[in-house]
Amino acid sequence: MTKTVVEVVTFKLNPGVSDADYVAASQKTESFIGAMRGFIDRRLSKGEDGTWMDYVVWADMTAAQDASAQFEQAECAADLMQMIDPKTLMMRHERQMWTMSPAPAMG
């Protein structure tokens, strides 16, 4: 087991918000999130039912919680948050228990 923490945020977009607009707004947060202490990786996906998942890996719980608190105040987050239906927003911080890496290529 590691100290690594996964932040899982699920949500749906407000009516009228396009996928492309949301992805563009997410990309505007790259430099802010990427500069946060403990940032490791981030992925954004959308399910067939319209539920999005923002999946961020942090070095530890303190880094994850600090980033969450600072993100709420960040200028780059305002447009992004206005696109999300607040009734559907859920965030969890979970300890990463295991990681599988790709097998080395056979020569």
Side-chain angles (χ1 to χ4, degrees):
M1 187 167 66
T2 69
K3 291 183 177 182
T4 307
V5 170
V6 177
E7 178 178 286
V8 180
V9 184
T10 57
F11 55 90
K12 290 188 176 184
L13 299 179
N14 284 318
V17 176
S18 74
D19 292 353
D21 287 344
Y22 186 76
V23 170
S26 293
Q27 290 170 334
K28 290 179 182 177
T29 67
E30 251 183 86
S31 60
F32 178 81
I33 292 174
M36 300 295 295
R37 182 194 71 75
F39 172 77
I40 295 174
D41 185 48
R42 182 180 184 196
R43 295 164 192 256
L44 184 64
S45 62
K46 180 184 174 191
E48 290 295 319
D49 68 349
T51 300
W52 288 73
M53 183 172 74
D54 199 343
Y55 184 94
V56 188
V57 181
W58 298 99
D60 55 48
M61 187 63 78
T62 301
Q65 291 172 338
D66 288 349
S68 292
Q70 290 181 45
F71 187 75
E72 292 174 9
Q73 308 302 319
E75 188 175 318
C76 64
D79 287 341
L80 191 75
M81 295 308 294
Q82 289 179 6
M83 296 179 176
I84 294 173
D85 177 353
K87 296 182 303 283
T88 65
L89 182 67
M90 291 181 42
M91 180 176 11
R92 302 187 318 269
H93 288 115
E94 305 173 351
R95 296 217 180 272
Q96 185 172 313
M97 303 301 285
W98 180 70
T99 301
M100 181 178 162
S101 299
M106 301 298 268

